[in-house]
Amino acid sequence: MTHVSLIPTALANKFPSDRPTVGYGVHRVVGLETEFGIHAPAHPQASHSVMSLELINAYGHKLTSEGTNVASTEWDYNEESPLSDARGWQMPRSIAHPSQLTDQALANNAGQDIHMLVNLILPNGARFYVDHAHPEYSSPETTNPIDAVIWDQAGDRIAQQAADHIADANGAAEMILYKNNTDSKSVSYGAHENYLVARDLDFDELSDHLIGFFATRQIITGAGRVGIGSLNDRTGFQISQRADFFEEEVGLETTIRRPIVNTRDEPHATPESYRRLHVIIGDANLSQYSTWLRVGMTSLVLSLIELGELPMVELAEPVQALQDISHDPSLQTQVLVNGRGWMTAIEVQRIYQEAAQTYLDRYGIDDQQSLDVVNAWAEVLDLLEHDPAQLADRLDWVAKYQLLNGMRERHALDWSNAKLAMLDLQWADLREEKGLYYTLVSRGAMRTIVTVEQIQQAISMPPTTTRAWTRGRLIDRFGAHLAGVSWESVLVRPFRQGPLQRFQLLEPLAATADDFNGLLAAGKPQLTLEDTPENQTELTQLLKQLQPYRVTGRK
């Protein structure tokens, strides 16, 4: 297969030949994951795992009742390797926490497989599934921050549509979904980011440079939280929902002993070319602006690391710094940076922002998305330093703090007051008529950067610039003829009786709309199982176009 790259040839020729890189500016392959909080008010003791299963099945039922191919498609677990460590070893299954075993189907207490739908692969190229006790939406692969926001926001609407479908059934108990990161009772759940980086990039170099960035970016990307400590045992308001739940600097776990840099080595792409950086330290942002900057800033930092041009910022005590910064919404806390002295998170972030600006200038990178992110990054840091309240229309934690602190002062409440905790939870409510975030959006008090129409289209259509196009459009048009799907593979069995054929889509930038647009174009009818000459012709054409990706043919 011809090598493909995001990097324009003229720009690639400027980069150092001894520094492998797979992205530039804010452009690289990115995907976002959200584990939603779930609650049934009428049944407070209901199992979260069972409710999550019901939610996934409800969305499958909704789509199939509308004539969409999805429910018959099962996840291909052969491609999962959750215990591979980027530092060069494999964690034994015997010592792995059960929540890490994402390569096997959900089982009940008796060890029997649960036969309800656990995974849906959607026509927009995303995965909607049960991650143990939570419903999770994993967005399709995108190649820039704007698209990342669009398909992340589509996931919020998909999850809520599933809950609405349950509520529409006569006598069904309402399920409420929250885009947050903790139940404030010691449990935390994730909002993960995935970035493809060059495989040949030394992992220790990567992690060493990321720790300081991840520990301090929360002042821009935090979602805000009422309560301090993983057990919520102290009163107050903090910047990040996740900070108190991290205990290590680097490690493989994601649910216990959480590390600032996760080492899970599961590329879901050509392993010789790519490493998937699995970022577990981010908050779940409702604000489009916060999500946009989170992806854009991180992509810029990764581009600098790949080229060996990011200044080293080494925190003396990274985990403590992460939590100290989060606990101080005044942003005055200083943390010790080796070789640089005591610095605020704003000062640390300026080092990264200025390095990103220098990088764009040095290489003449002037595409609008990269320029917009680096300029917004600088503006936000200036406002955080001089007048953070002006960011209440953009950043989750600032907007939430202004709203809750205003109520606290008006009514002489302490941060321990239950009303404030309830408002914190209501902020994250995915119901547009109930959630406080959506209320502010409807009033024009929160900036949005993508349109409702873009989000609505992304609910059913995949991005055009990655293999997600082929995955999603195959499910929509040829779903009746698919036997299995994963991020990097598709199994086709024509008319459910022909030989099984496996195709690997290992290159995320191949099999895009440019390759399959005619056959998989929007608006074309689904191919039924009826064995007609017309359907035979369509399937023959599909298999021919997929031929470069074929790896096996077996009955």
Side-chain angles (χ1 to χ4, degrees):
M1 184 186 304
T2 303
H3 175 71
V4 292
S5 174
L6 275 177
I7 309 170
T9 303
L11 180 60
N13 291 335
K14 297 180 183 179
F15 288 161
S17 59
D18 62 339
R19 298 292 305 191
T21 181
V22 297
Y24 75 98
V26 298
H27 304 274
R28 69 179 52 242
V29 177
V30 178
L32 303 181
E33 306 171 13
T34 302
E35 298 174 20
F36 297 101
I38 187 168
H39 177 57
H43 302 284
Q45 303 304 316
S47 164
H48 288 170
S49 295
V50 173
M51 286 193 295
S52 298
L53 276 168
E54 291 173 347
L55 191 80
I56 302 306
N57 280 263
Y59 195 67
H61 179 268
K62 175 184 182 298
L63 292 187
T64 55
S65 65
E66 295 169 351
T68 298
N69 289 320
V70 64
S72 62
T73 307
E74 298 180 358
W75 190 255
D76 183 1
Y77 283 99
N78 289 329
E79 308 296 345
E80 301 282 327
S81 53
L83 303 183
S84 294
D85 194 296
R87 294 167 293 183
W89 63 78
Q90 186 90 0
M91 175 181 280
R93 299 186 75 86
S94 59
I95 66 171
H97 191 273
S99 63
Q100 288 181 265
L101 303 179
T102 57
D103 57 344
Q104 61 187 33
L106 198 68
N108 61 21
N109 292 333
Q112 300 168 322
D113 287 349
I114 296 177
H115 293 296
M116 293 178 74
L117 289 170
V118 180
N119 291 280
L120 297 179
I121 307 89
L122 307 180
N124 74 345
R127 184 186 183 195
F128 190 36
Y129 70 112
V130 180
D131 187 7
H132 297 276
H134 294 273
E136 177 167 329
Y137 171 86
S138 294
S139 78
E141 305 91 324
T142 58
T143 55
N144 61 75
I146 292 291
D147 283 356
V149 171
I150 292 171
W151 272 272
D152 176 68
Q153 294 269 309
D156 298 349
R157 295 302 94 218
I158 285 168
Q160 186 56 46
Q161 285 180 10
D164 292 342
H165 191 69
I166 292 175
D168 289 342
N170 291 332
E174 183 179 36
M175 288 186 187
I176 302 178
L177 297 174
Y178 300 100
K179 193 176 186 181
N180 63 357
N181 297 110
T182 178
D183 65 357
S184 295
K185 300 175 183 177
S186 81
V187 175
S188 180
Y189 31 95
H192 300 170
E193 303 149 60
N194 300 284
Y195 303 86
L196 289 190
V197 297
R199 168 62 65 177
D200 290 341
L201 176 62
D202 180 76
F203 187 81
D204 288 338
E205 179 184 357
L206 177 65
S207 61
D208 288 348
H209 278 88
L210 284 173
I211 290 174
F213 174 69
F214 283 156
T216 56
R217 71 170 186 170
Q218 60 179 301
I219 62 173
I220 297 173
T221 65
R225 174 186 162 207
V226 173
I228 309 292
S230 60
L231 298 177
N232 205 38
D233 52 0
R234 284 174 285 159
T235 60
F237 181 94
Q238 63 174 306
I239 292 170
S240 169
Q241 295 211 344
R242 289 279 275 173
D244 287 339
F245 297 92
F246 283 76
E247 304 174 52
E248 307 284 347
E249 294 179 28
V250 181
L252 180 61
E253 289 85 357
T254 58
T255 58
I256 57 172
R257 298 184 299 277
R258 293 182 182 90
I260 293 174
V261 175
N262 183 254
T263 61
R264 183 169 179 173
D265 191 6
E266 191 178 26
H268 294 312
T270 308
E272 298 81 13
S273 301
Y274 297 107
R275 183 192 308 280
R276 178 173 63 102
L277 177 67
H278 187 53
V279 180
I280 69 171
I281 199 171
D283 283 8
N285 294 119
L286 282 159
S287 165
Q288 296 178 13
Y289 202 91
S290 292
T291 302
W292 171 64
L293 276 179
R294 176 160 53 106
V295 174
M297 295 186 312
T298 305
S299 296
L300 279 165
V301 164
L302 291 174
S303 293
L304 281 159
I305 295 173
E306 285 184 330
L307 294 178
E309 298 181 4
L310 187 71
M312 175 59 75
V313 177
E314 185 181 67
L315 301 178
E317 297 183 60
V319 176
Q320 190 63 53
L322 169 72
Q323 294 169 2
D324 288 347
I325 291 167
S326 181
H327 296 170
D328 179 21
S330 76
L331 302 172
Q332 299 305 304
T333 289
Q334 294 184 325
V335 296
L336 182 59
V337 182
N338 293 338
R340 297 177 185 267
W342 293 90
M343 303 178 70
T344 66
I346 294 173
E347 291 170 332
V348 172
Q349 279 291 304
R350 282 198 192 280
I351 295 173
Y352 296 117
Q353 188 278 331
E354 290 171 358
Q357 182 66 69
T358 299
Y359 154 73
L360 296 185
D361 293 342
R362 177 185 298 120
Y363 292 105
I365 299 173
D366 59 0
D367 68 276
Q368 198 61 53
Q369 287 219 41
S370 296
L371 293 176
D372 286 346
V373 168
V374 82
N375 291 334
W377 192 355
E379 181 186 15
V380 166
L381 290 175
D382 286 343
L383 289 173
L384 286 172
E385 184 172 19
H386 300 293
D387 190 5
Q390 287 194 45
L391 293 168
D393 66 341
R394 276 163 278 184
L395 304 187
D396 276 303
W397 81 265
V398 179
K400 185 187 291 186
Y401 179 78
Q402 290 293 109
L403 186 68
L404 272 59
N405 194 51
M407 169 171 268
R408 186 181 71 88
E409 292 179 342
R410 286 193 303 274
H411 300 282
L413 303 176
D414 186 81
W415 280 113
S416 62
N417 191 285
K419 291 181 180 178
L420 298 177
M422 286 301 297
L423 287 174
D424 188 358
L425 188 61
Q426 192 177 350
W427 175 273
D429 194 329
L430 284 187
R431 294 174 296 178
E432 292 183 296
E433 72 280 7
K434 299 285 187 180
L436 291 181
Y437 163 76
Y438 294 107
T439 298
L440 293 183
V441 170
S442 68
R443 293 175 180 173
M446 288 291 291
R447 294 190 190 185
T448 56
I449 61 173
V450 300
T451 67
V452 173
E453 291 74 22
Q454 286 175 302
I455 297 168
Q456 190 63 35
Q457 183 179 33
I459 290 173
S460 59
M461 291 294 292
T464 61
T465 57
T466 67
R467 65 186 175 193
W469 173 263
T470 293
R471 181 191 313 121
R473 298 303 299 145
L474 279 176
I475 289 169
D476 185 39
R477 282 219 69 212
F478 295 91
H481 300 270
L482 300 183
V485 177
S486 74
W487 294 119
E488 68 266 43
S489 69
V490 177
L491 279 68
V492 180
R493 190 188 293 276
F495 303 106
R496 295 185 183 173
Q497 58 189 10
L500 182 66
Q501 301 184 48
R502 178 187 289 269
F503 302 91
Q504 280 194 326
L505 308 177
L506 285 173
E507 173 50 65
L509 298 172
T512 66
D514 289 340
D515 299 318
F516 286 92
N517 193 40
L519 186 64
L520 300 178
K524 285 203 168 187
Q526 296 173 355
L527 201 72
T528 68
L529 284 171
E530 188 178 0
D531 194 353
T532 64
E534 293 79 7
N535 285 355
Q536 285 279 7
T537 298
E538 288 255 50
L539 275 170
T540 299
Q541 184 182 359
L542 172 68
L543 295 174
K544 181 178 180 180
Q545 291 199 28
L546 285 173
Q547 189 62 33
Y549 308 98
R550 184 172 179 178
V551 293
T552 186
R554 58 177 183 244
K555 296 183 179 180

